[in-house]
Amino acid sequence: MSAGGGKKAILAALTANAGIAVAKFIGAAITGSASMLAEGVHSVADTANQGLLLVGQRRAEQEADELHPFGYGRNRYFYSFIVALVLFTLGSVYAIYEGIHKIQHPEELSSPIVAVVILGIAIALEAFSFRTAIRESRPLKGNASWWKFIRNSRSPELPVVLLEDSGALIGLVLAFGAVVLTMVTGDPIWDGIGTLAIGILLGVIAIVLIIEMQSLLIGEGATPDEDRAIRANLVDDTRIDRVIHVKTQYLGPEEMLVAAKVGITPGLDIENIAAAIDDAETRVRAAVPAARIIYLEPDLYRTKDV
């Protein structure tokens, strides 16, 4: 994912969520709806999260230095991890608490039609943000399923925005249903039930994000397709006849470290070995553009190396 593509989806989500948050809080103040208030807090959390993603992208652009010789690319993973924590604590925990409270102590809604109108507008705005995230993600997703894209992506922002937006849309539908059921039945307990459901939904999404971002933060290697491409392009069958072993790790969403020991054809002089290593690096970078930092160790293949 290019930083620019991810930034477009983030900005769309930030703009939509900021407007939605204001509308939800106005609606909650007018109606007294707990599910509307929970959704307002959810939108504030989402807005803050988009800001954190932008901060992460900005800080990841810092040049490598003596303290961080491989650069600052993992800032994008760190801030995405913080996003997941914010979503869990500010969004999920608050909504669950508020839902339980409203179930135990139901309160009548005033002007519920206002909540219905605001939620309808919020659904339309959130759908715009979600559609933008989907459009930006499709070229990277390819033929894989959306779940596989979220699980395998080494770029954090689009999976974060996709999960946040999908959760927001489902949460809005739950809030809409809760308000409508409260209006139809006259029983305000449905508002509390809707709030609790929103909290549980946000908790599930937050846990998925925490797991995925933690994995990226501690360091994930190449995808299976990338690993096969790296191994295939290290070998030229004339000077390098096999890959003894290879290790990879993403230093940032668009920068991978490749370290490998390769088997050199016996009898080559130092000049030919150096040329073989240089050519192998060129082939790997052409096949896997993310493989920017490559360290190759030439060796003679021995059974014990396997």
Side-chain angles (χ1 to χ4, degrees):
M1 180 192 72
S2 67
K7 191 170 291 184
K8 185 175 181 180
I10 294 169
L11 289 173
L14 188 149
T15 303
N17 284 321
I20 291 170
V22 173
K24 286 176 181 175
F25 280 125
I26 292 173
I30 294 173
T31 65
S33 169
S35 58
M36 178 74 80
L37 181 60
E39 274 298 302
V41 173
H42 176 195
S43 291
V44 168
D46 282 352
T47 304
N49 287 343
Q50 314 316 322
L52 286 170
L53 292 178
L54 291 173
V55 170
Q57 285 193 345
R58 181 69 178 270
R59 295 199 171 182
E61 294 170 357
Q62 297 177 82
E63 294 293 331
D65 53 32
E66 186 175 348
L67 184 62
H68 297 92
F70 289 113
Y72 290 82
R74 283 188 180 170
N75 267 312
R76 287 167 66 179
Y77 298 149
F78 172 75
Y79 280 92
S80 296
F81 182 75
I82 298 299
V83 162
L85 294 179
V86 170
L87 184 64
F88 183 79
T89 55
L90 189 57
S92 175
V93 174
Y94 173 80
I96 290 174
Y97 165 79
E98 188 68 15
I100 293 173
H101 175 73
K102 291 297 183 181
I103 290 173
Q104 293 175 336
H105 307 285
E107 297 179 8
E108 296 291 335
L109 301 184
S110 59
S111 304
I113 192 65
V114 173
V116 171
V117 172
I118 290 176
L119 286 170
I121 294 172
I123 288 172
L125 290 172
E126 200 65 65
F128 162 75
S129 174
F130 188 47
R131 186 181 67 177
T132 302
I134 288 177
R135 186 170 62 245
E136 295 294 313
S137 302
R138 283 193 189 280
L140 299 173
K141 183 180 79 71
N143 295 324
S145 66
W146 285 107
W147 177 245
K148 188 174 181 181
F149 168 68
I150 291 170
R151 292 281 290 132
N152 292 338
S153 176
R154 300 302 190 261
S155 297
E157 291 89 356
L158 285 176
V160 168
V161 174
L162 281 169
L163 283 174
E164 279 192 348
D165 284 355
S166 60
L169 275 174
I170 296 171
L172 285 167
V173 171
L174 290 173
F176 187 91
V179 173
V180 170
L181 283 171
T182 299
M183 291 172 59
V184 172
T185 65
D187 189 350
I189 197 173
W190 286 107
D191 187 42
I193 293 173
T195 307
L196 181 61
I198 290 168
I200 294 171
L201 169 69
L202 295 181
V204 171
I205 291 174
I207 289 170
V208 171
L209 283 176
I210 287 170
I211 292 171
E212 291 303 311
M213 295 308 117
Q214 182 261 356
S215 180
L216 288 170
L217 190 57
I218 64 175
E220 288 190 0
T223 65
D225 288 344
E226 289 171 336
D227 183 75
R228 284 190 290 270
I230 290 169
R231 291 176 181 273
N233 284 279
L234 284 174
V235 176
D236 62 10
D237 293 323
T238 55
R239 298 167 296 178
I240 300 177
D241 56 15
R242 70 178 63 235
V243 176
I244 299 173
H245 63 73
V246 60
K247 295 184 184 296
T248 60
Q249 187 172 99
Y250 268 89
L251 303 173
E254 287 122 22
E255 187 172 52
M256 185 199 305
L257 168 67
V258 178
K261 179 181 283 190
V262 294
I264 298 294
T265 303
L268 290 180
D269 59 31
I270 189 65
E271 185 175 342
N272 279 319
I273 292 174
I277 295 298
D278 290 343
D279 291 345
E281 291 180 358
T282 300
R283 292 193 301 272
V284 169
R285 289 193 178 99
V288 184
R292 297 182 183 178
I293 302 175
I294 303 176
Y295 296 113
L296 300 182
E297 178 186 351
D299 202 351
L300 295 176
Y301 173 71
R302 307 174 185 87
T303 305
K304 69 177 182 179
D305 291 326
V306 179

